[in-house]
Amino acid sequence: MAHSFIQAVVVGTRVFRRAVAEAYRHASASSKYAQSAAGSSSASHNFASSGLTLDEACKILNVKPPQGGKANMEEIIERFKRLFDVNDPTKGGSFYLQSKILRARERIELEVREAAEAVEREAELKKGWRPKVYKDR
């Protein structure tokens, strides 16, 4: 009786050890995949933290996508305010739609901001780094 109990414990321990090792390998592979996806610029720009693509955000607000990083922000803000107010839950609107409208505006603003930063970086690279040198010191 004791012998079969010990065998069951040993076999159970082996199974558990293999399961833990397999789970670790799976977690490691998932982590590497996530790092490589986050490292590639297309993956991070296509999906913002809200989970909306730029195309979806533009369709929600019914605006044209930013061309060359430039967009008519007054039109975007105007449509956002109108749609946000129409879908106010206190006025019988949908909280879900209201949050989608908010995420759409944030996504378009993110795209425009990133494009402006890229243009600024390019201008700085063209200009070059010129440290200030004081001759009187």
Side-chain angles (χ1 to χ4, degrees):
M1 176 81 174
H3 180 68
S4 54
F5 177 73
I6 293 173
Q7 275 184 325
V9 169
V10 170
V11 169
T13 304
R14 287 181 184 163
V15 169
F16 182 73
R17 187 179 63 217
R18 287 183 188 153
V20 168
E22 183 65 29
Y24 178 77
R25 276 188 293 240
H26 188 275
S28 177
S30 295
S31 174
K32 287 178 185 175
Y33 176 75
Q35 286 175 351
S36 68
S40 68
S41 62
S42 63
S44 64
H45 286 57
N46 286 342
F47 245 9
S49 61
S50 65
L52 286 176
T53 63
L54 180 61
D55 188 45
E56 289 172 332
C58 292
K59 286 180 182 178
I60 289 171
L61 292 178
N62 195 21
V63 295
K64 293 180 182 175
Q67 301 295 323
K70 299 190 188 270
N72 186 356
M73 290 308 291
E74 290 98 23
E75 178 186 9
I76 292 170
I77 297 298
E78 174 190 321
R79 290 190 190 219
F80 162 74
K81 285 180 180 178
R82 186 175 55 80
L83 291 171
F84 196 80
D85 289 340
V86 166
N87 288 296
D88 188 9
T90 59
K91 298 177 185 174
S94 168
F95 178 75
Y96 174 76
L97 291 177
Q98 198 178 41
S99 65
K100 280 290 193 184
I101 292 164
L102 176 67
R103 299 294 172 242
R105 187 206 65 190
E106 289 175 346
R107 177 68 174 103
I108 293 172
E109 287 176 346
L110 173 74
E111 190 72 25
V112 170
R113 184 174 48 245
E114 285 180 350
E117 289 172 359
V119 167
E120 193 175 297
R121 248 182 279 121
E122 287 296 321
E124 186 176 325
L125 287 174
K126 284 182 181 178
K127 182 180 173 185
W129 185 66
R130 304 201 193 282
K132 294 182 179 179
V133 179
Y134 301 102
K135 295 181 181 178
D136 59 337
R137 289 185 187 188

